[in-house]
Amino acid sequence: MAGGAQDNDEEITGINVTPLVDVVLVLLIIFMVTANFIVRETVEVDLPRAANGGETVQGLVNVVLDKQGKLFFDGAEVSEDELRRKVVESLAKDKETRAIISADQSLPYGRVMRLIDVVKGEGIAKFALNIEKDVAPAAAPAVP
């Protein structure tokens, strides 16, 4: 055959996986290096536990209510009025601002609900409550 492809009767019997392994190793190194840059809140809070809770979500703003009832907005202590102002400022920068609310489990339920009302009342529609996930599900207490 003039100008045609040469007949090559050899079959490809194996697949070269070296490029795949190289890519996987590079991705593994990138994930290992960037995992050290994940920032947790700096305020120590005894979070409630839940057996079916998800992973901690990284939001745009962190609102924390510690054991003494002090409010923190992104790590800085604020009053309730300052919290309202900072939430409004955050929403002015980005209309899709989300909040992560963390509160010590020893606080009364009403105090946490008031914090949620402040955050929602100033316009943040999307928020999540931060919990600490249980490794093993705890037995449910008996209800009389």
Side-chain angles (χ1 to χ4, degrees):
M1 276 198 243
Q6 293 180 346
D7 287 333
N8 195 358
D9 292 335
E10 294 179 28
E11 284 187 29
I12 299 175
T13 57
I15 297 175
N16 187 2
V17 294
T18 305
L20 176 66
V21 172
D22 290 344
V23 169
V24 170
L25 288 175
V26 168
L27 289 174
L28 179 65
I29 291 170
I30 290 171
F31 291 141
M32 288 173 55
V33 169
T34 58
N36 293 333
F37 297 117
I38 296 173
V39 179
R40 295 213 171 233
E41 56 262 342
T42 57
V43 181
E44 192 65 32
V45 178
D46 185 18
L47 294 173
R49 296 182 181 274
N52 296 323
E55 297 299 316
T56 302
V57 179
Q58 295 298 318
L60 297 176
V61 294
N62 286 311
V63 181
V64 180
L65 187 60
D66 73 357
K67 190 175 278 196
Q68 288 79 30
K70 296 178 188 172
L71 277 173
F72 293 87
F73 184 86
D74 283 342
E77 188 174 350
V78 294
S79 68
E80 193 171 308
D81 290 334
E82 289 173 318
L83 174 65
R84 290 178 193 275
R85 186 175 43 79
K86 288 192 178 274
V87 167
V88 169
E89 288 172 5
S90 296
L91 282 169
K93 292 177 188 172
D94 182 10
K95 297 289 183 199
E96 296 296 317
T97 298
R98 294 174 295 169
I100 303 300
I101 299 174
S102 303
D104 195 275
Q105 67 180 348
S106 65
L107 292 172
Y109 183 71
R111 182 70 174 106
V112 177
M113 286 305 301
R114 180 181 169 114
L115 177 60
I116 292 171
D117 285 344
V118 168
V119 170
K120 284 181 68 175
E122 295 305 322
I124 294 183
K126 296 179 182 177
F127 69 92
L129 298 176
N130 196 5
I131 60 166
E132 189 171 316
K133 186 174 180 181
D134 273 342
V135 176
V143 179

